[in-house]
């Protein structure tokens, strides 16, 4: 059985992950609207990954005999100033998620909940990867000085596919 505090924090994390999915889906729609289909694809794949993250917490709570409680998901923004702005906001959001995961790890340590502590290790690695991906795209966007460059990056981001785990 999971302790009350841990259970509440894990349920809150489901909401964080669902919001991440919502945010990236909203960015995907915005990229579609401005004609950058490759960026839209990248964000749509990311939105699906985030849903997968929410499901990892969901399945884990159930496996430990806990009760899943779904909360209201807040509305994400619908517009960004530029592709660079959207990716800067993505990185900022991922840094927030990294902090959430770190707080969960601290709580698992405090509660001496080894199983939750172990489950969270996957998310620690995942956050390193996600922040690195965003940072790479941000630095490439900063180097681009023509619409040609944006379209080349768009073509590359169109290649991103869902990873099967
Ligand atoms: Fe973007 O890693 Fe989950 O939220």
């Amino acid at each position: 059985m999971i302790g009350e505090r841990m259970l509440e924090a894990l349920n809150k994390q489901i909401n964080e992950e669902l919001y991440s999915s919502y945010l990236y889906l909203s960015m995907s729609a915005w990229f579609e609207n401005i004609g950058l289909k490759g960026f839209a694809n990248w964000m749509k794949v990311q939105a699906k990954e985030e849903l997968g993250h929410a499901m990892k917490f969901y399945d884990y709570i159930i496996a430990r005999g806990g009760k899943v409680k779904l909360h209201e998901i807040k509305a994400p923004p619908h517009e960004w100033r530029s592709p660079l702005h959207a990716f800067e906001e993505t990185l900022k959001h991922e840094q927030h998620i990294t902090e959430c995961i770190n707080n969960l790890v601290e709580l698992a340590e405090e509660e001496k909940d080894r199983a939750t502590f172990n489950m969270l290790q996957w998310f620690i690695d995942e956050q390193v990867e996600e922040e690195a991906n965003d940072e790479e795209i941000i630095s490439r966007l900063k180097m681009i000085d023509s619409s040609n460059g944006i379209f080349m990056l768009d073509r590359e981001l169109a290649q991103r596919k869902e990873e099967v785990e």
Side-chain angles (χ1 to χ4, degrees):
M1 251 326 232
I2 317 179
E4 267 317 302
R5 273 175 82 205
M6 196 75 247
L7 182 60
E8 200 186 314
L10 292 172
N11 268 316
K12 190 166 170 278
Q13 192 60 29
I14 292 182
N15 190 266
E16 292 278 359
E17 301 294 344
L18 289 176
Y19 176 75
S20 302
S21 183
Y22 232 35
L23 174 64
Y24 301 144
L25 194 58
S26 186
M27 285 183 179
S28 179
W30 178 74
F31 277 120
E32 291 278 1
N33 285 152
I34 62 167
L36 292 172
K37 288 195 168 297
F39 281 86
N41 170 66
W42 195 97
M43 281 297 174
K44 199 192 274 179
V45 171
Q46 191 59 37
K48 286 184 188 164
E49 272 201 13
E50 299 298 353
L51 187 57
H53 295 172
M55 290 311 294
K56 271 185 197 282
F57 284 104
Y58 175 101
D59 290 337
Y60 176 76
I61 291 174
I62 301 227
R64 294 283 310 275
K67 198 167 180 185
V68 166
K69 279 192 190 153
L70 298 176
H71 302 291
E72 189 176 348
I73 307 166
K74 71 175 181 213
H78 305 111
E79 261 177 61
W80 291 269
R81 287 193 296 276
S82 62
L84 176 61
H85 180 225
F87 271 89
E88 281 172 342
E89 290 299 304
T90 299
L91 177 60
K92 227 189 267 173
H93 181 68
E94 287 307 324
Q95 286 164 341
H96 160 72
I97 295 293
T98 299
E99 206 182 303
C100 294
I101 300 292
N102 289 342
N103 290 339
L104 287 172
V105 171
E106 271 171 39
L107 183 59
E109 277 174 330
E110 243 176 81
E111 303 267 299
K112 299 194 182 0
D113 183 343
R114 308 267 179 260
T116 303
F117 181 86
N118 273 349
M119 182 273 293
L120 290 168
Q121 301 312 302
W122 184 90
F123 283 95
I124 292 178
D125 294 341
E126 178 68 10
Q127 284 312 115
V128 171
E129 195 186 310
E130 292 209 358
E131 286 192 28
N133 289 343
D134 297 337
E135 274 160 9
E136 190 196 325
I137 295 174
I138 287 171
S139 53
R140 290 182 63 187
L141 281 168
K142 282 183 177 163
M143 280 187 293
I144 288 172
D145 52 7
S146 68
S147 51
N148 232 359
I150 283 275
F151 286 121
M152 273 170 67
L153 183 55
D154 191 60
R155 230 174 291 147
E156 199 182 313
L157 298 185
Q159 306 306 313
R160 184 177 185 194
K161 290 196 175 58
E162 280 170 62
E163 280 170 34
V164 194
E165 279 178 40

